Amino acid sequence: MPEGRVIKAYNSFFYVQTEDELVTCKLRGRFKKKQGIYPGDRVEIGLLADGTGVVEKLLPRASLLRRPLVANVNQVLLTFAAAEPDPHPLLVSRFLVLAEWSQAGRIVVCVNKCDLGGAAERVQHLCRAAGYPVLLVSAKTGQGVDALRQTLAGHTTCFAGPSGVGKSSLLNAVAGLALQTGHVSEKIRRGRHTTRVAELLPFENGYIVDTPGFSALELTEIEEQRLPELFPEMQPYVGLCRFAPCSHSHEPDCAVKEAVAKGFIQQERYDAYGTILEEIRTAAAKKKKR
């Protein structure tokens, strides 16, 4: 039975790239009831007489990015804009937490539109201090595009980030792909969605995944106890607190809070942790009342 990778899923059709061809497939009924199939999934398919196929079996996944749903990614490129739209530290941390939670491999931060100045250095400092590599690029001028190509080569990389930051423009600059691009609304300062579905695009012995942008992230499904694990700069201090377990919020003699006070953990990152923690607690309380 041929094996392949789901390149795109659209309107109940799954486009599966096998070793020899791209096959348009549908799902067996049992998949619709038991589990989803997502772009990036490796599957076994049955071929039909008309050249189409049926997905017969889902092969084990190495990872599943939770939003957007893309399987078997080993690198996430979180893309923000230096300006238009301006990046917010809390939104940057939300995306970083989402990527960590999804266990999707290496996380790289890309700041596009550096030709506009803006907050590029601020985002770079915030992310590098937390341990993430950062690329400063401009799809318009070509700054940093070669370094971005080298980062993508040989990986299955998901481009994720808010709308309007120029993900499609970056892909066009890196790989010469004719992707639709949009502009940022002058009224609301947010980008229009130009990518409709997640799709794997072959590139340099790997794939790049263009995904629909989104401007709001809800992380309330994360277990409260797991949240500190998703802030890598906190890890050296977790377990050193006076109380165990410690939520690193209100407890005295908290090693994490002491690290913040000494400048070892950035205040903006700790504030983001506190905001997400409160959202998780509020959601859990509401669920308990139901």
Side-chain angles (χ1 to χ4, degrees), residues 23-27 45-48 50-55:
V23 182
T24 302
C25 299
K26 283 203 166 186
L27 297 182
I45 63 172
L47 296 175
L48 304 179
D50 62 359
T52 63
V54 178
V55 176

Side-chain angles (χ1 to χ4, degrees), residues 173-231:
V174 168
L177 302 168
L179 300 175
Q180 181 184 0
T181 57
H183 66 276
V184 176
S185 164
E186 289 294 332
K187 183 177 181 180
I188 62 174
R189 308 309 300 168
R190 292 202 302 266
R192 294 182 178 179
H193 295 254
T194 56
T195 303
R196 306 302 179 189
V197 295
E199 180 176 3
L200 274 69
L201 307 166
F203 179 78
E204 298 286 339
N205 298 317
Y207 291 94
I208 48 182
V209 188
D210 189 23
T211 63
F214 45 94
S215 56
L217 291 172
E218 297 220 2
L219 298 171
T220 54
E221 293 180 15
I222 298 174
E223 295 178 1
E224 178 180 331
Q225 294 77 11
R226 282 207 60 199
L227 186 60
E229 300 173 13
L230 308 181
F231 285 77

Side-chain angles (χ1 to χ4, degrees), residues 83-267:
E84 298 183 12
D86 296 338
H88 191 282
L90 176 57
L91 185 61
V92 172
S93 285
R94 285 185 183 277
F95 275 97
L96 289 169
V97 169
L98 175 69
E100 292 281 0
W101 185 37
S102 299
Q103 298 180 318
R106 185 181 185 225
I107 300 169
V108 180
V109 175
C110 176
V111 185
N112 189 25
K113 302 186 184 181
C114 285
D115 53 291
L116 299 179
E121 294 298 329
R122 181 185 179 193
V123 175
Q124 178 178 235
H125 176 70
L126 180 74
C127 295
R128 284 187 174 167
Y132 298 102
V134 180
L135 298 173
L136 300 181
V137 303
S138 169
K140 183 176 181 180
T141 67
Q143 173 190 344
V145 169
D146 286 342
L148 178 55
R149 286 195 187 99
Q150 293 174 13
T151 299
L152 298 174
H155 293 279
T156 299
T157 304
C158 181
F159 273 63
S163 300
V165 299
K167 296 189 299 294
S168 293
S169 295
L170 277 178
L171 290 173
N172 290 340
V174 168
L177 302 168
L179 300 175
Q180 181 184 0
T181 57
H183 66 276
V184 176
S185 164
E186 289 294 332
K187 183 177 181 180
I188 62 174
R189 308 309 300 168
R190 292 202 302 266
R192 294 182 178 179
H193 295 254
T194 56
T195 303
R196 306 302 179 189
V197 295
E199 180 176 3
L200 274 69
L201 307 166
F203 179 78
E204 298 286 339
N205 298 317
Y207 291 94
I208 48 182
V209 188
D210 189 23
T211 63
F214 45 94
S215 56
L217 291 172
E218 297 220 2
L219 298 171
T220 54
E221 293 180 15
I222 298 174
E223 295 178 1
E224 178 180 331
Q225 294 77 11
R226 282 207 60 199
L227 186 60
E229 300 173 13
L230 308 181
F231 285 77
E233 69 271 46
M234 290 187 181
Q235 292 311 297
Y237 308 99
V238 172
L240 301 180
C241 305
R242 176 182 173 186
F243 295 97
C246 181
S247 69
H248 318 299
S249 57
H250 63 281
E251 298 92 342
D253 298 327
C254 170
V256 169
K257 291 196 294 184
E258 290 177 6
V260 175
K262 293 177 180 178
F264 300 136
I265 296 174
Q266 294 178 90
Q267 185 67 49

